[in-house]
Amino acid sequence: MITGKFPSLRLRRSRKNNWSRRLIEENNLTSSDFVLPLFLIEGKNKKQSIKSMPGVYRYSLDKINFVVDKAIKNGLPMVALFPYTNPRKKNHLGTESLNEDNLVCKALRSIKKKYKNEIGIMCDVALDPYTSHGHDGLLRGKYVLNDETIKILINQSLLQAQMGCDVLAPSDMMDGRIGEIRKSLDKNGFKMTQILSYAVKYASSFYGPFREAVGTKGLLKTDKKNYQMDFRNSNEALREVALDIKEGADMVMVKPGLPYLDIIKLIKENFKIPVLAYQVSGEYSLLSHGIKKGLFDKSIILESLISFKRSGANAIVSYYADKLDEILK
Ligand code: PBG
């Protein structure tokens, strides 16, 4: 593999000048590599900051067009919608998930009406923004029920597809849900609605700030280890992906991102399927607070983002996706 030797070979020769570094660069990022998560909140004229995520906001629906406009102008292919549900609308069964006038449904209708196919919209399929206990499915004791949860997820998926969602992203980690959702989409006339499976989602402490953003933090009394993956495992990630591909997933997600680059690479090498990386809230908070405190300079963001490309990710879900003009310049 290694040809040539010192002193006739000097690798620093090609690093000496900026033009030369650019000439031989192996990886790069463009706006097409990003998905922007958007947090939605009830009300009018609201742009609410989120304490644990400096520079990220919850928007009321009348403010969303402004953000989507900018995303389209900057060339982003897709946004992802996440609701901060009014606590009064939450219950044990998460029934608000099936209300066609919930925040996500309203946002889907208004964005699709205005922008048609100029930008893709992705929605989580899971119950956590809607349940009073903050879990992604139906809870019995401390256990999240699998098959019973899937029945609701199917209806949530169908509803979101009807409202115009382009990419359904089940993030719940129930066994077998991709196949069931695909079947019901096909049967009901949504053959072309895509599924991005959060196939490899670890039970992670890196989700902390997100749970503040969507208001589930105070609600959770137990962890999510009986459904999300154990971070000690990587063979299991391959099994999850293999199953989801068989069940009809168009793309798969690995989440969190930075601590799991090995998993992205492993999946890319074993299955030739589009893989997305989710640079989650905790990663964003670490970097952003570190920059704010003066511990790092801003290029730490680009360095982290490029690592996803190097590991083989096709795209990155990132809270930095609306700040790319500064990061990529
Ligand atoms: C919920 C969901 C979570 C995230 C996306 N969808 C949190 C969780 O599973 O508790 C995390 C995203 C982030 O941390 O940025 N199904």
Side-chain angles (χ1 to χ4, degrees):
M1 274 293 279
I2 296 174
T3 54
K5 65 173 199 249
F6 180 82
S8 57
L9 180 63
R10 289 175 186 270
L11 292 181
R12 288 185 58 191
R13 222 178 268 140
S14 54
R15 286 179 208 145
K16 189 174 172 207
N17 292 307
N18 177 269
W19 63 263
S20 172
R21 292 193 292 271
R22 282 192 291 126
L23 187 69
I24 63 163
E25 71 190 10
E26 295 173 40
N27 291 284
N28 216 335
L29 287 166
T30 71
S31 54
S32 300
D33 294 313
F34 288 91
V35 178
L36 174 67
L38 292 177
F39 294 114
L40 310 169
I41 188 154
E42 278 180 2
K44 287 226 158 66
N45 200 26
K46 279 195 185 151
K47 181 183 177 184
Q48 241 176 32
S49 50
I50 298 159
K51 215 173 115 219
S52 56
M53 301 175 75
V56 178
Y57 302 89
R58 301 185 194 98
Y59 295 94
S60 55
L61 295 182
D62 54 332
K63 288 256 183 188
I64 277 293
N65 283 349
F66 174 74
V67 187
V68 176
D69 258 347
K70 202 177 150 208
I72 292 173
K73 232 172 252 140
N74 289 335
L76 297 187
M78 186 158 78
V79 293
L81 304 180
F82 295 101
Y84 178 96
T85 305
N86 184 331
R88 278 185 287 116
K89 296 187 175 166
K90 297 188 184 190
N91 59 31
H92 207 70
L93 304 174
T95 47
E96 177 68 4
S97 63
L98 304 180
N99 172 6
E100 64 172 44
D101 281 320
N102 70 26
L103 272 172
V104 167
C105 290
K106 279 198 214 154
L108 275 169
R109 289 198 297 265
S110 89
I111 298 172
K112 273 294 145 185
K113 190 169 164 209
K114 176 141 199 246
Y115 299 100
K116 312 279 186 302
N117 279 326
E118 280 184 80
I119 192 160
I121 307 183
M122 155 187 157
C123 295
D124 254 37
V125 178
L127 300 184
D128 57 300
Y130 308 107
T131 50
S132 45
H133 44 71
H135 280 287
D136 294 33
L138 299 178
L139 199 61
R140 182 170 297 162
K142 291 180 181 172
Y143 192 72
V144 170
L145 300 171
N146 195 85
D147 302 16
E148 295 81 352
T149 296
I150 291 181
K151 292 210 174 81
I152 303 178
L153 298 180
I154 290 173
N155 291 327
Q156 185 186 20
S157 301
L158 275 178
L159 178 63
Q160 292 183 156
Q162 272 159 14
M163 297 294 140
C165 178
D166 301 291
V167 177
L168 292 165
S171 67
D172 54 289
M173 289 302 279
M174 298 303 112
D175 283 325
R177 86 282 204 213
I178 299 299
E180 295 293 318
I181 291 171
R182 184 73 268 166
K183 240 193 316 191
S184 89
L185 287 172
D186 290 356
K187 210 167 62 194
N188 288 282
F190 298 103
K191 287 200 176 69
M192 299 307 281
T193 304
Q194 298 187 43
I195 297 180
L196 161 60
S197 172
Y198 285 81
V200 186
K201 179 172 178 181
Y202 286 92
S204 170
S205 295
F206 282 91
Y207 308 147
F210 174 94
R211 292 176 187 165
E212 183 206 332
V214 297
T216 59
K217 194 162 209 150
L219 304 176
L220 277 171
K221 299 286 176 268
T222 52
D223 60 43
K224 298 191 174 183
K225 288 182 180 167
N226 70 52
Y227 47 110
Q228 298 179 348
M229 263 186 62
D230 185 335
F231 52 69
R232 295 165 184 84
N233 300 346
S234 59
N235 287 333
E236 192 184 349
L238 292 175
R239 300 178 79 193
E240 284 284 3
V241 172
L243 286 167
D244 285 357
I245 293 174
K246 272 220 174 100
E247 291 175 32
D250 301 285
M251 307 175 269
V252 293
M253 181 99 82
V254 174
K255 178 181 177 200
L258 208 55
Y260 299 90
L261 295 178
D262 57 322
I263 306 296
I264 297 172
K265 184 148 196 222
L266 199 60
I267 293 170
K268 210 60 214 202
E269 281 169 355
N270 280 278
F271 307 98
K272 307 302 171 187
I273 185 171
V275 178
L276 274 71
Y278 200 138
Q279 183 190 46
V280 299
S281 56
E283 301 172 54
Y284 176 89
S285 292
L286 280 175
L287 299 179
S288 294
H289 280 112
I291 294 166
K292 249 179 114 175
K293 287 222 155 81
L295 299 172
F296 320 118
D297 63 70
K298 279 190 174 160
S299 65
I300 196 171
I301 301 171
L302 183 63
E303 182 180 340
S304 309
L305 292 170
I306 286 272
S307 74
F308 294 116
K309 276 312 269 246
R310 217 176 47 237
S311 72
N314 294 76
I316 307 153
V317 182
S318 170
Y319 302 97
Y320 288 114
D322 59 347
K323 305 159 182 70
L324 295 178
D325 31 355
E326 240 191 285
I327 295 164
L328 303 183
K329 77 169 178 239

